[in-house]
Amino acid sequence: MLQLIALVPLLPLIGFLINGIGNKSLSKSLVGIIGSGTMLLSFIISLGIFFELKNSEVSAHTFTFFDWINVGNFNLSFSFLVDPLSSLMLLVVTGVGFLIHVYSIGYMKHDEGFAKFFAYLNLFVFFMLLLVLGANYAIMFIGWEGVGLCSYLLIGFWYKNTSYNNAAKKAFVMNRIGDLGFLIALFLIFKTFGSISFNEVFTSAAKFTSGDPTLTTIAILLFIGAMGKSAQLPLYTWLPDAMAGPTPVSALIHAATMVTAGIYMIARSSIIYALAPIAMDIVATIGMITAVWAALIALTQTDIKKVLAYSTVSQLGYMFVALGVGSFTGAVFHLMTHAFFKALLFLGAGSVIHAMSGEQDMRSMGGLKKKLPITFITILIGTLAISGVPPFAGFFSKDEILAATYNHSMPMFIVMSITSVLTAFYMFRMLFLTFYGNFRGTNDQASHLHESPKSMTIPLIVLAVFSTIAGFVGLPEVFSEHHALKSFLSPSFVFTNGRFSFEAASHVVEYSIMGVSLVVVALVYIYAQKRFAKDVYLLPVDESKMTLMQRLSYRKFYIDEFYENLITKPLDKLSTFFYRVIDKSGIDGVVNGLGKITMNGSKNLRTIQTGNTGFYIFSMVVGIIIIMLLNFILS
Amino acid sequence: MTGIIIISLIAIVILFLGLYKLDKAIVPLAVAALLAAITSYALAWNTNIYYFNNMLFVDNFAILFSILTIATTILILLLSPGYFEKISSNVAEYVALILFSLVGVLCMVSYNNFSMLFIGIEIMSISMYIMAGIRKKDLASNEAALKYFLMGSFATGFLLFGIALVYGFTGSFNLETISTLVMESGGQAAALFVAGILFMIVGMSFKVSAAPFHFWAPDVYDGAPSLVTSYMSSVVKTASFAAFIRMFIVAFAGVIHIFTPTLWALAAITIIVGNVIALYQDTFKRMLAYSSISHAGYMLIAILALGPDSGNAIFYYAVAYSIASVSAFAILIKVKALKNSESFDAFNGLAKNNPKSALALTISMCSLAGIPLTAGFFGKFFIFTIAINQGFYWLVGLAILNAVVAFWYYFRVIIAMYMKSPSSDEKIEYGFSYKLVLWIAAIATLLFGLLPGILSGLL
């Protein structure tokens, strides 16, 4: 199977080409089969690679396909690195990707851009796989930029809506800010290590002393890249806006895969971070603030997808906290479980929106439990998973992160615990507002309510199963001698293993975390049911009646307005100034002036072409005389 | 050598075909003969054989330029069915004259003796004088022929005088003998010898239309039938440059430093005059005439910066320029037939009704302007590279500035085609051979723009 590695990204690329070129001429069912089929094949190969790797002695394979750039001392080969970390990511990307492709067949059935949608989706998966498989920072960067492009295309998929286009632009621009950090980091890495291939960089980086300023700079710059792609403060505002894209896109790109690229990148570069404690602290702090900040905003959102979007930002914060305190396995673990339950929640939300004929405001929903039973149960499972109820997947991964922060710093542990209570709260609020109580929509919507087709519910069920059981790959030590995921991943963290030893939390702590989280979730459940299920508590429509906290949260802490006034408007003014003054009168003046001078020259010079042969011969003779003078008299 | 014989014989046969009214067979026969000539030259690769008591020397330089000029002639002949019958009843004479002049061209690119150079130039020029005036009843065509003849004779006089002076000093017409003498003199040269070379430079400058000896070119190019103009601006110009640079590579390499200021000034003035005057032209054809003058200026730089890569640079430039220029004239002919006008306005909205022609012309204009991904870019690139390596920074700066100026007039026609609305909905009809030429030109331009290595390492 390992030899087939090239096919893993190639298949989606082929799917993209077929669907992209055959856009108009292929039937919808064929488009769906090509789009999902290529993903399924990719997934099967990834599965084979995963098991082969698991059972083999050698843990990392590098496949070089061709020498790409050879300039001076700069050698760049187009090569893939297959190790436990990338093979796990392969499974997540192709597995969740496949399910979402299948789901899209049902969800996008009535859209005219059906083939275009699948082409973009396949292209996205191709770039994501490049990002994950690259054996050097350059290939990773190509994938990184490629997924950014696809994200842009898919957010603005319904391009006729101006605000969607603006959301797409915002995502692109914010990501560029991060990308700049990544790019500078890349240059610095090359300058420092003379190479950008992972093997060489990490081997030489391991010889540096801890706290080396160059490594710290590289780590911080890489993190700026990750902040953009993985939506951390202050570059997170594009992600909620990105919900303008079709829901499968939100599930695949803005929940399960692309936004976790930052986590993957830092986990991949773990040794650089391990030797840069300051950068680690920055990562953990930003992650923590983002986690609680986004959770607070999620509390009052009324758009079902916005709740999930802020929840994603918050959960990504969790992962960065894990990275920041050195629990790389914990971060990857949470990345994986999050991919399952967040994809599930988004697809579930999509199913609701589909049933509600496009309505996304939860204030118009309610009482959907009976009409959408499968969607309800799967969303319930997702909610339990994200809230950290044992034995659902989210519990184990979150537990591992919390245990790691407990070892690292007490205040951080407290903040993260509070955040997890907030998480449970906003998720149950969403659940109750949507599925309990009475239906609050229009009669028209009520008559259309229906459970989604099989192509949509089956992916939901599969994801629900994974959201339930995926946590068992990383059972904490209280249940099991053996942390399966940790030992599988350890070859990928060969340089950092042992640098951060977490004393396994004592059994008392472990059980109490478990107990407390169960109790808290139960309390939240009761409270939320009381407030939201009975229709008595909905957010006041009139903002003046909100409390200060409510309004801050509802208005997302005014961060968009803040950016608008502090950055966008001054930039606009500067741009206008440059356009009106520097460009129009300065540069254009010079350019047009030169042009005029040349044209006048032309006008005058062409009059020497009189058409008179005598004059021509006279000019030739003058020319000859000058040449003779030049050569014989003057020299 | 076999090539010269084949072409001469077939040209005579074609005259007979005209006599027996077998007009249909003329162009196919000519093309077949030219293909055979190309083959015979290709087979001679790396053989380096002398002919006629060392009068001709068929080395790789000669072979490359022979093949280029013959191939360009094939393209032009493929454009001629349907064109020439309209302006003259003597199709056979027309094709025969082209072939005769091509024989002159072949002598010019492989001469090893100055008398051979003179003979070659005369064979070529006399054919061209007739060709320019082949539209017997057209006043402009007659005027073009007469002007070309008068001034051409004047310039040939200088060339011949120069050859005589060089002979007087060295006692030989043979390039290699002269070269040995020059080397022995250690870079020193007597005034008589210098004057001889200067006169030869003047004569050749006229042939390549370098300023201030360029005055004939716009009038003749404009007055001659378009297909003849395209032959003049591609084959004749390529051959003249090949002859010009061969003179310096083989015979005068040892004393070129003496002529640096002269050649520098000629190149600079030619580039400026050609480009600047081209800006203000109203007709596409006249614009092409002036632009061909400026291209001569660029190619002069390669002679000025004489070195091992000069031949190659000129060859690459000539390839790019010939192909682009043939396809530009080909479309001009069709547009003129359609709109009866050669002005820029005639091209308005061409892209709407004839998108492929517009694309072909766009590629050709981009190549002439020297935009990357076209052959023209590498043509300029190689010439500028050798000039910079020899320290001609100012001249290269000036040349690049002028290349920018040239965008204005090359893009004028592109803008007309794509951004203005057409005056009528008529479509241009192309015959098979016409389409073939346009396709070959477009593909070759892009191919040599993407993979310059195909041609650049040959010399």
Side-chain angles (χ1 to χ4, degrees):
Chain A
M1 277 298 181
L2 271 169
Q3 287 71 36
L4 296 178
I5 184 67
L7 281 182
V8 177
L10 219 51
L11 282 164
L13 183 67
I14 293 169
F16 158 71
L17 290 175
I18 298 176
N19 282 339
I21 295 167
N23 197 349
K24 294 271 154 57
S25 48
L26 297 175
S27 74
K28 280 192 178 177
S29 52
L30 195 60
V31 166
I33 289 168
I34 292 167
S36 317
T38 50
M39 288 302 302
L40 180 64
L41 286 175
S42 264
F43 175 64
I44 291 170
I45 297 172
S46 307
L47 211 59
I49 289 170
F50 176 80
F51 283 112
E52 192 169 327
L53 204 65
K54 198 160 177 283
N55 299 322
S56 94
E57 300 280 308
V58 193
S59 57
H61 302 262
T62 308
F63 297 90
T64 303
F65 298 100
F66 51 87
D67 278 340
W68 189 21
I69 300 171
N70 262 324
V71 183
N73 61 347
F74 179 72
N75 296 304
L76 186 60
S77 55
F78 195 92
S79 48
F80 288 166
L81 173 66
V82 182
D83 72 342
L85 181 58
S86 56
S87 76
L88 188 74
M89 290 296 291
L90 281 191
L91 281 186
V92 173
V93 174
T94 55
V96 177
F98 167 63
L99 291 173
I100 291 173
H101 274 71
V102 173
Y103 178 93
S104 307
I105 297 178
Y107 191 83
M108 300 297 288
K109 200 162 66 192
H110 306 298
D111 201 284
E112 358 176 325
F114 191 76
K116 189 173 77 173
F117 182 79
F118 272 90
Y120 285 169
L121 223 51
N122 272 350
L123 184 66
F124 165 78
V125 174
F126 164 71
F127 279 123
M128 189 69 205
L129 291 170
L130 273 194
L131 192 164
V132 167
L133 280 170
N136 54 53
Y137 281 105
I139 309 276
M140 188 191 239
F141 188 72
I142 294 170
W144 187 274
E145 290 297 310
V147 291
L149 167 73
C150 294
S151 158
Y152 165 79
L153 290 172
L154 284 164
I155 294 170
F157 183 73
W158 287 310
Y159 57 88
K160 285 176 186 155
N161 184 320
T162 315
S163 68
Y164 291 1
N165 282 332
N166 287 339
K169 271 187 275 182
K170 186 170 176 181
F172 203 74
V173 170
M174 285 227 152
N175 269 296
R176 299 305 308 170
I177 301 174
D179 293 350
L180 184 66
F182 189 177
L183 205 57
I184 298 174
L186 221 152
F187 298 148
L188 201 55
I189 287 171
F190 180 68
K191 185 171 174 283
T192 316
F193 303 106
S195 166
I196 51 172
S197 101
F198 290 147
N199 273 333
E200 290 170 39
V201 171
F202 299 152
T203 315
S204 18
K207 295 178 190 125
F208 280 60
T209 51
S210 179
D212 184 273
T214 321
L215 283 189
T216 309
T217 318
I218 292 173
I220 292 174
L221 286 167
L222 282 178
F223 180 54
I224 291 175
M227 274 187 207
K229 191 81 30 196
S230 297
Q232 296 298 291
L233 268 173
L235 298 179
Y236 74 93
T237 56
W238 66 271
L239 186 59
D241 285 19
M243 295 302 123
T247 309
V249 171
S250 314
L252 178 61
I253 300 185
H254 305 119
T257 54
M258 185 189 84
V259 289
T260 60
I263 317 283
Y264 171 76
M265 186 235 285
I266 292 183
R268 179 55 85 200
S269 323
S270 56
I271 180 61
I272 296 178
Y273 282 86
L275 294 173
I278 300 173
M280 291 284 270
D281 286 341
I282 294 175
V283 172
T285 315
I286 299 253
M288 180 184 76
I289 298 173
T290 310
V292 62
W293 177 278
L296 284 173
I297 298 177
L299 289 177
T300 57
Q301 295 307 304
T302 53
D303 180 323
I304 186 167
K305 284 180 76 181
K306 286 270 159 81
V307 176
L308 293 173
Y310 281 105
S311 157
T312 304
V313 175
S314 167
Q315 296 298 312
L316 289 167
Y318 263 98
M319 297 176 212
F320 278 106
V321 168
L323 294 171
V325 300
S327 171
F328 298 108
T329 319
V332 176
F333 188 16
H334 198 56
L335 184 162
M336 184 185 83
T337 58
H338 176 259
F340 292 130
F341 60 67
K342 190 49 69 62
L344 168 62
L345 286 168
F346 264 114
L347 295 187
S351 177
V352 170
I353 295 165
H354 194 68
M356 293 287 298
S357 325
E359 178 63 65
Q360 300 194 7
D361 194 330
M362 293 191 292
R363 285 173 295 199
S364 308
M365 298 178 182
L368 299 179
K369 195 168 135 189
K370 293 216 181 66
K371 302 273 185 180
L372 306 168
I374 302 176
T375 308
F376 167 67
I377 291 173
T378 49
I379 287 196
L380 177 64
I381 291 172
T383 307
L384 292 173
I386 194 175
S387 308
V389 177
F392 294 97
F395 168 75
F396 296 104
S397 53
K398 205 178 266 186
D399 173 69
E400 190 166 332
I401 295 175
L402 286 178
T405 49
Y406 181 78
N407 273 303
H408 185 78
S409 105
M410 196 35 102
M412 195 174 269
F413 173 71
I414 294 170
V415 174
M416 295 315 286
S417 304
I418 293 172
T419 308
S420 96
V421 177
L422 293 175
T423 309
F425 184 80
Y426 66 68
M427 284 312 300
F428 278 105
R429 171 176 173 268
M430 184 191 106
L431 188 76
F432 282 113
L433 281 179
T434 314
F435 290 102
Y436 288 82
N438 300 319
F439 187 70
R440 295 179 294 271
T442 62
N443 290 334
D444 204 31
Q445 285 170 329
S447 60
H448 280 119
L449 284 178
H450 60 88
E451 181 59 284
S452 301
K454 281 225 172 59
S455 62
M456 288 167 68
T457 50
I458 291 173
L460 284 177
I461 294 167
V462 176
L463 283 170
V465 171
F466 278 108
S467 303
T468 315
I469 59 167
F472 295 114
V473 300
L475 285 181
E477 309 209 351
V478 63
F479 295 120
S480 140
E481 290 292 296
H482 182 69
H483 191 303
L485 188 69
K486 191 175 263 173
S487 51
F488 174 67
L489 282 178
S490 77
S492 290
F493 300 121
V494 67
F495 292 111
T496 46
N497 284 334
R499 279 180 200 270
F500 303 93
S501 58
F502 299 104
E503 295 166 38
S506 68
H507 289 197
V508 183
V509 176
E510 199 68 70
Y511 278 118
S512 51
I513 292 182
M514 226 180 288
V516 168
S517 58
L518 262 179
V519 171
V520 166
V521 170
L523 286 176
V524 166
Y525 178 85
I526 295 165
Y527 177 73
Q529 191 182 27
K530 264 205 169 140
R531 285 194 80 166
F532 303 119
K534 306 262 160 65
D535 299 345
V536 289
Y537 180 81
L538 289 166
L539 208 58
V541 181
D542 184 2
E543 269 189 56
S544 58
K545 288 188 188 139
M546 291 183 187
T547 63
L548 178 67
M549 253 334 266
Q550 272 177 352
R551 190 153 59 190
L552 275 180
S553 165
Y554 184 70
R555 283 275 160 195
K556 304 153 198 164
F557 295 102
Y558 293 97
I559 198 81
D560 277 323
E561 288 80 355
F562 178 73
Y563 284 169
E564 174 81 24
N565 287 319
L566 198 79
I567 296 169
T568 316
K569 276 190 185 153
L571 265 181
D572 271 350
K573 290 231 171 77
L574 200 65
S575 164
T576 317
F577 169 75
F578 270 96
Y579 172 66
R580 291 253 164 80
V581 180
I582 309 265
D583 194 69
K584 273 282 164 194
S585 34
I587 294 173
D588 279 6
V590 172
V591 171
N592 291 337
L594 283 176
K596 258 184 206 143
I597 292 171
T598 319
M599 282 309 270
N600 275 332
S602 178
K603 203 162 129 190
N604 295 326
L605 204 55
R606 78 175 189 144
T607 53
I608 61 170
Q609 190 79 24
T610 52
N612 183 333
T613 315
F615 172 75
Y616 291 172
I617 292 184
F618 171 74
S619 314
M620 283 172 70
V621 171
V622 170
I624 293 165
I625 291 172
I626 292 175
I627 287 177
M628 292 299 155
L629 284 177
L630 192 73
N631 279 282
F632 289 105
I633 313 289
L634 294 178
S635 60
Chain B
M1 187 56 223
T2 327
I4 294 183
I5 297 170
I6 295 175
I7 296 173
S8 311
L9 286 178
I10 294 297
I12 296 168
V13 171
I14 284 174
L15 282 177
F16 279 103
L17 286 180
L19 208 57
Y20 293 106
K21 303 285 174 215
L22 293 166
D23 287 0
K24 283 247 154 71
I26 291 172
V27 171
L29 181 66
V31 170
L34 292 178
L35 286 172
I38 287 187
T39 319
S40 80
Y41 273 107
L43 289 175
W45 185 253
N46 272 342
T47 52
N48 297 330
I49 302 174
Y50 291 92
Y51 292 97
F52 303 137
N53 293 325
N54 299 348
M55 297 270 268
L56 288 181
F57 179 42
V58 181
D59 55 358
N60 286 351
F61 175 95
I63 291 173
L64 276 186
F65 278 98
S66 302
I67 292 179
L68 169 60
T69 45
I70 299 174
T72 315
T73 311
I74 293 180
L75 291 183
I76 290 169
L77 283 180
L78 287 177
L79 294 175
S80 64
Y83 175 78
F84 218 73
E85 286 87 335
K86 278 185 202 153
I87 54 175
S88 161
S89 53
N90 308 325
V91 182
E93 282 79 355
Y94 155 77
V95 176
L97 278 172
I98 284 195
L99 294 186
F100 283 134
S101 87
L102 190 59
V103 170
V105 162
L106 296 178
C107 295
M108 284 166 70
V109 299
S110 43
Y111 71 97
N112 195 40
N113 186 302
F114 282 127
S115 57
M116 204 65 214
L117 168 68
F118 180 71
I119 292 170
I121 286 184
E122 283 307 288
I123 296 177
M124 179 195 78
S125 299
I126 291 173
S127 309
M128 289 325 294
Y129 301 148
I130 307 171
M131 297 269 290
I134 203 154
R135 240 177 342 193
K136 280 186 292 191
K137 288 169 186 153
D138 184 89
L139 208 58
S141 183
N142 281 326
E143 187 190 331
L146 195 61
K147 264 186 193 164
Y148 194 17
F149 174 65
L150 278 176
M151 301 178 68
S153 320
F154 186 67
T156 312
F158 279 97
L159 180 68
L160 199 54
F161 190 35
I163 292 176
L165 286 178
V166 170
Y167 179 80
F169 181 70
T170 61
S172 173
F173 289 130
N174 187 287
L175 269 69
E176 280 153 349
T177 315
I178 295 171
S179 169
T180 321
L181 285 172
V182 167
M183 288 305 168
E184 280 167 6
S185 70
Q188 296 299 310
L192 193 65
F193 188 52
V194 171
I197 297 175
L198 281 175
F199 281 135
M200 289 179 75
I201 289 178
V202 168
M204 292 312 293
S205 294
F206 174 86
K207 289 292 164 198
V208 301
S209 71
F213 312 107
H214 69 281
F215 288 100
W216 63 277
D219 292 2
V220 173
Y221 282 16
D222 203 18
S226 292
L227 210 52
V228 175
T229 311
S230 91
Y231 183 83
M232 282 192 232
S233 77
S234 55
V235 177
V236 172
K237 183 155 280 190
T238 304
S240 308
F241 262 106
F244 202 170
I245 195 170
R246 192 175 173 88
M247 182 166 108
F248 280 101
I249 289 178
V250 185
F252 305 135
V255 287
I256 181 130
H257 58 274
I258 299 175
F259 306 98
T260 302
T262 312
L263 290 170
W264 199 105
L266 282 176
I269 296 172
T270 308
I271 292 174
I272 293 173
V273 165
N275 268 313
V276 171
I277 303 187
L279 290 176
Y280 221 83
Q281 300 305 316
D282 299 322
T283 74
F284 184 65
K285 196 173 175 185
R286 237 181 141 75
M287 180 279 276
L288 283 179
Y290 280 104
S291 101
S292 98
I293 293 174
S294 75
H295 286 291
Y298 295 119
M299 292 202 261
L300 273 177
I301 298 179
I303 298 179
L304 168 67
L306 197 74
D309 296 328
S310 287
N312 210 349
I314 282 217
F315 176 66
Y316 207 96
Y317 201 101
V319 169
Y321 171 70
S322 300
I323 299 172
S325 146
V326 167
S327 101
F329 276 107
I331 289 174
L332 170 68
I333 289 170
K334 285 295 179 187
V335 169
K336 193 188 171 195
L338 194 69
K339 303 269 173 74
N340 201 24
S341 158
E342 285 168 348
S343 73
F344 283 103
D345 295 338
F347 289 84
N348 282 355
L350 192 71
K352 220 158 250 160
N353 301 324
N354 304 283
K356 279 185 198 158
S357 325
L359 185 66
L361 189 54
T362 306
I363 292 174
S364 130
M365 288 297 113
C366 288
S367 187
L368 289 176
I371 287 173
L373 301 187
T374 61
F377 169 74
F378 282 104
K380 286 202 170 63
F381 177 80
F382 289 136
I383 285 185
F384 292 168
T385 309
I386 57 170
I388 283 175
N389 286 342
Q390 300 213 12
F392 294 106
Y393 302 116
W394 283 103
L395 188 58
V396 171
L398 181 87
I400 290 175
L401 269 184
N402 272 281
V404 176
V405 170
F407 279 27
W408 197 87
Y409 56 80
Y410 288 129
F411 275 58
R412 205 167 144 189
V413 65
I414 298 181
I415 290 168
M417 288 192 299
Y418 284 93
M419 300 187 179
K420 297 194 174 155
S421 45
S423 55
S424 64
D425 287 341
E426 284 166 288
K427 277 200 150 195
I428 299 178
E429 297 294 333
Y430 293 106
F432 168 74
S433 60
Y434 223 94
K435 271 188 203 158
L436 186 71
V437 171
L438 290 178
W439 276 108
I440 291 175
I443 291 171
T445 302
L446 294 177
L447 185 71
F448 298 143
L450 287 169
L451 305 166
I454 303 177
L455 292 181
S456 67
L458 291 177
L459 275 177

